[in-house]
Amino acid sequence: NRGYIKGTLNSDGSLIEFTSACAPLVYRGDLFQSEVIGNVFVCEPTGNLIKQNTLSEKGLITTAMNAYHEKEFLASSDERFRPVWMTSGPDGALYIADMYRGIIQHGLYMSPYLRETILKRNLHSPINLGRIWRISPEYSAISRPIKLSEASTAKLVEMLGHKNGWYRDMAQRLLVEKQDPEAIQKLEQLLQQSPDYLARLHALWTLEGMEMVQPDPYLMALQDHHVQVRVASMRILENISAINPGVVNRLEQYMLLVPTNEIQALQTTLTAGIMKPLIKQEILIQILAKYLNDPLFRNAVLSSIHNQEYQLLRALVNQSDWIQYSSDKEIMLEILVAAIVKKRDQKELRELIVLVDRDSLEWTHRAIISGLSVHDTPTDSDRIPLEVTPDIFTNTVHDLDLNSKISRVSTLYIWPGKETKADLIKPKPTYQLDPKIFAQGRSLYLTICSNCHGIDGKGLARFAPPLVRSEWVLGDPKRFTIILLHGMEGPVTVNGIKYDAPDILPVMPSFASTSAGNLAAVMSYIRQEWGHDASSIDAGTVGTIRVSTQGKVTPWTTAELLELENHEE
């Protein structure tokens, strides 16, 4: 339907990229060779194919690669082949639901060209020929299935260690449904004795599904040699702590030892939310000391510290290793302050303004001011009352950017005579963006952009060029949007200075999976921060541009962007 758009089709007419990915399946059967286990199969009904991806994991990051070079696991020249769902069965084979229709396009997106083609080639019929395909290795024998519906409790527990994930899942389901008390002891034995971590993992979640709240088996699993078992036990203990408060006390000492494994460290960060305030704070400070540079951990800390953001902030700025500046520390302080502002606790907000009301501002004070400046416009009743005018609001000796932030901070507070003060710093007159969108954009910028472009938008050596006064972000909104949607590769010239690897990374990644609303917010923020006064960008514009450029699968080059701009002119 969109084949006329450049970058949608290869020269041979084949699809370059997914347009309707659906029904991903992680293969966990036992019929195919071992290297297929853990592969992900994804249906693409508009392209009449199924892709096979091999996965690789490094810490918390999972990446996927096509299992075949320039071909797919399954593709058909029959244009009515429409794979829309997949599963694996008790025999270990793959089963595919094929809708088998000539037309699969939604009516809203039916172009005149497609409508004409459908009628000309009778693609609108027939419509009742759907089928299920079974895929197995060549010459594989069909094994006789085990009837789990007739299996004893002992047999079902044994099946939790089966090589085929279908049997493991079904055995777990039946054990939970049966609620046989005899299963408890057998599951605990499996948890202690099985050499297979998957069997131990299923045993844990089966006990949880049977509403086993006695914590001993889960506490024992905290010492398991496989990280996924340890993480599962932490999650279960967190859930049962609400009805068994003693669990928290037994977890605390275990969690105070920061794990070296990133997967367990992340779960430790999340589970810390149930700890007592001082223990929680100690755990999270230790986590940040090791994993502060990872945005995922910063967000997890923010999730776990709920309603105690101010206490954590004060503890962090008093840490000796927080005297020296780093961009990661600044981001952490700013997102903590933003959460404090949103909570609107008057005592905490008054103490924050006292903390930064000084002649000499350290980097920590500037970070707090930045966090205070990002907020919705408060109503008169929401403003925080102060007894006297803080000097920071009448002091104009700071740089222009800081003065602009201080002026936004001042709108949070009210004090006697404020409205008649002639020497207050005036808000920037060209500030157009809705404060709520501005706050959303700032939060997103800190999460997805600042690690390369810097908190101040001035760029970072070895990572990315500056955004401040960059013609690429302040110029045509469409050009800025497609750069974020598809990425950009160097070299690139910004403000007359050429940037190329190794001075910057060779490629800026695509943010195609980010929602239109979030992309619009972060782009609008960039176009109106750091003294910029460019127009904002709305989500509708981003959505339209996403559809019109959906065939682009490689990053834009400077030459392509300039050519596109000249062509449109």
Side-chain angles (χ1 to χ4, degrees):
N1 192 27
R2 306 295 176 191
Y4 57 86
I5 299 176
K6 183 180 179 181
T8 303
L9 301 178
N10 285 308
S11 58
D12 62 359
S14 61
L15 197 63
I16 290 178
E17 185 54 278
F18 277 102
T19 64
S20 59
C22 62
L25 170 72
V26 180
Y27 181 73
R28 299 159 59 233
D30 60 345
L31 189 60
F32 290 85
Q33 56 267 48
S34 59
E35 56 264 30
V36 179
I37 296 175
N39 284 194
V40 175
F41 296 83
V42 186
C43 296
E44 167 48 290
T46 61
N48 318 114
L49 60 88
I50 295 175
K51 177 176 285 292
Q52 178 181 347
N53 295 296
T54 59
L55 302 186
S56 60
E57 296 182 1
K58 184 177 181 181
L60 298 170
I61 305 300
T62 301
T63 56
M65 293 291 292
N66 193 358
Y68 303 95
H69 179 62
E70 295 186 349
K71 60 181 180 179
E72 306 298 347
F73 170 74
L74 174 63
S76 177
S77 58
D78 184 348
E79 60 196 348
R80 288 176 169 81
F81 174 62
R82 306 293 191 182
V84 294
W85 188 74
M86 296 185 70
T87 188
S88 61
D91 57 353
L94 290 172
Y95 289 85
I96 302 166
D98 175 9
M99 197 163 112
Y100 204 79
R101 295 174 72 104
I103 175 173
I104 198 170
Q105 189 81 4
H106 192 286
L108 289 175
Y109 304 103
M110 188 77 68
S111 66
Y113 163 79
L114 184 59
R115 184 178 293 107
E116 180 182 342
T117 300
I118 288 168
L119 294 174
K120 181 179 179 180
R121 299 171 59 189
N122 292 320
L123 295 176
H124 56 291
S125 64
I127 60 172
N128 298 312
L129 297 178
R131 74 283 308 276
I132 295 174
W133 297 94
R134 177 185 184 272
I135 301 180
S136 62
E138 192 173 10
Y139 307 125
S140 62
I142 299 177
S143 60
R144 184 180 182 86
I146 302 171
K147 293 186 177 181
L148 294 185
S149 60
E150 301 173 0
S152 65
T153 295
K155 182 64 175 178
L156 290 175
V157 172
E158 177 189 333
M159 296 300 289
L160 294 178
H162 198 281
K163 292 187 298 182
N164 188 337
W166 186 93
Y167 280 109
R168 296 196 301 270
D169 292 347
M170 189 60 67
Q172 178 175 328
R173 169 189 160 185
L174 293 174
L175 284 167
V176 171
E177 289 176 351
K178 287 179 67 175
Q179 292 290 316
D180 184 354
E182 293 183 9
I184 301 295
Q185 183 180 0
K186 298 182 183 301
L187 288 167
E188 292 179 353
Q189 289 175 350
L190 183 68
L191 190 57
Q192 296 177 43
Q193 300 172 6
S194 175
D196 181 5
Y197 90 91
L198 286 172
R200 302 195 301 275
L201 196 60
H202 277 282
L204 275 177
W205 288 112
T206 305
L207 287 168
E208 189 269 348
M210 295 178 67
E211 300 181 349
M212 167 70 169
V213 296
Q214 206 282 332
D216 288 345
Y218 311 126
L219 290 167
M220 178 191 67
L222 289 175
Q223 308 303 324
D224 196 279
H225 64 269
H226 199 284
V227 63
Q228 294 294 355
V229 178
R230 298 195 299 271
V231 165
S233 63
M234 293 173 68
R235 291 174 59 189
I236 296 171
L237 287 166
E238 181 180 343
N239 291 338
I240 68 174
S241 65
I243 56 177
N244 194 336
V247 166
V248 175
N249 295 329
R250 300 181 69 175
L251 265 175
E252 284 178 346
Q253 294 305 313
Y254 175 80
M255 291 179 58
L256 281 169
L257 301 174
V258 179
T260 56
N261 183 287
E262 289 178 280
I263 296 173
Q264 187 173 342
L266 182 61
Q267 186 59 53
T268 297
T269 309
L270 296 169
T271 303
I274 68 171
M275 301 291 109
K276 294 187 285 292
L278 291 180
I279 298 293
K280 178 196 303 187
Q281 183 174 289
E282 183 178 351
I283 292 171
L284 295 181
I285 288 174
Q286 291 180 12
I287 289 287
L288 288 174
K290 189 167 185 178
Y291 299 103
L292 179 64
N293 64 332
D294 190 329
L296 189 58
F297 277 91
R298 295 198 294 264
N299 289 341
V301 167
L302 192 65
S303 175
S304 290
I305 203 64
H306 178 63
N307 274 337
Q308 296 164 26
E309 297 88 355
Y310 178 74
Q311 290 77 11
L312 179 60
L313 182 143
R314 293 305 301 262
L316 288 174
V317 297
N318 289 325
Q319 295 286 312
S320 60
D321 57 347
W322 278 65
I323 296 175
Q324 185 175 0
Y325 169 83
S326 80
S327 59
D328 296 321
K329 293 173 186 175
E330 183 176 2
I331 292 172
M332 190 69 235
L333 291 188
E334 187 171 327
I335 63 177
L336 285 171
V337 174
I340 295 168
V341 171
K342 192 169 185 178
K343 190 171 65 169
R344 284 295 202 278
D345 183 286
Q346 292 193 7
K347 181 176 181 295
E348 292 178 357
L349 288 172
R350 277 195 290 265
E351 290 182 4
L352 279 181
I353 206 63
V354 170
L355 185 63
V356 300
D357 191 20
R358 57 186 67 209
D359 294 332
S360 178
L361 295 177
E362 304 293 338
W363 76 264
T364 52
H365 305 127
R366 288 173 173 263
I368 291 171
I369 290 170
S370 292
L372 286 170
S373 71
V374 182
H375 57 81
D376 298 349
T377 302
T379 62
D380 288 341
S381 60
D382 284 336
R383 299 183 197 276
I384 310 302
L386 302 174
E387 294 181 359
V388 296
T389 307
D391 292 338
I392 193 172
F393 294 140
T394 57
N395 186 350
T396 60
V397 300
H398 305 296
D399 59 79
L400 182 63
D401 182 54
L402 185 58
N403 281 340
S404 178
K405 290 178 179 178
I406 291 173
S407 72
R408 295 201 293 267
V409 174
S410 71
T411 63
L412 272 174
Y413 299 90
I414 190 75
W415 55 85
K418 176 182 179 182
E419 303 303 328
T420 60
K421 284 275 186 182
D423 58 350
L424 290 179
I425 301 172
K426 301 298 182 184
K428 179 183 170 186
T430 55
Y431 181 63
Q432 308 168 17
L433 194 59
D434 183 311
K436 185 176 182 179
I437 302 299
F438 187 88
Q440 178 188 358
R442 175 63 176 176
S443 176
L444 290 165
Y445 180 84
L446 291 177
T447 302
I448 64 178
C449 308
S450 63
N451 282 343
C452 291
H453 292 285
I455 296 175
D456 55 5
K458 294 180 180 179
L460 294 175
R462 305 289 182 180
F463 285 95
L467 300 176
V468 175
R469 294 182 293 280
S470 168
E471 58 267 41
W472 299 99
V473 303
L474 298 179
D476 182 4
K478 178 179 179 180
R479 185 172 70 180
F480 189 18
T481 302
I482 63 176
I483 289 174
L484 263 68
L485 283 172
H486 309 296
M488 184 179 184
E489 56 183 332
V492 61
T493 299
V494 179
N495 294 323
I497 301 175
K498 184 177 180 179
Y499 295 87
D500 198 1
D503 296 323
I504 61 171
L505 296 173
V507 179
M508 170 190 159
S510 158
F511 294 97
S513 61
T514 305
S515 71
N518 283 342
L519 283 179
V522 74
M523 287 190 291
S524 297
Y525 163 78
I526 292 170
R527 288 165 66 87
Q528 296 195 10
E529 179 64 302
W530 310 307
H532 298 161
D533 58 1
S535 62
S536 59
I537 300 173
D538 61 73
T541 299
V542 176
T544 300
I545 295 172
R546 191 197 297 271
V547 171
S548 66
T549 61
Q550 65 181 342
K552 180 69 173 173
V553 296
T554 57
W556 294 94
T557 64
T558 298
E560 287 177 328
L561 290 168
L562 294 176
E563 180 186 354
L564 181 67
E565 187 173 343
N566 293 333
H567 177 73
E568 291 180 346
E569 290 176 357

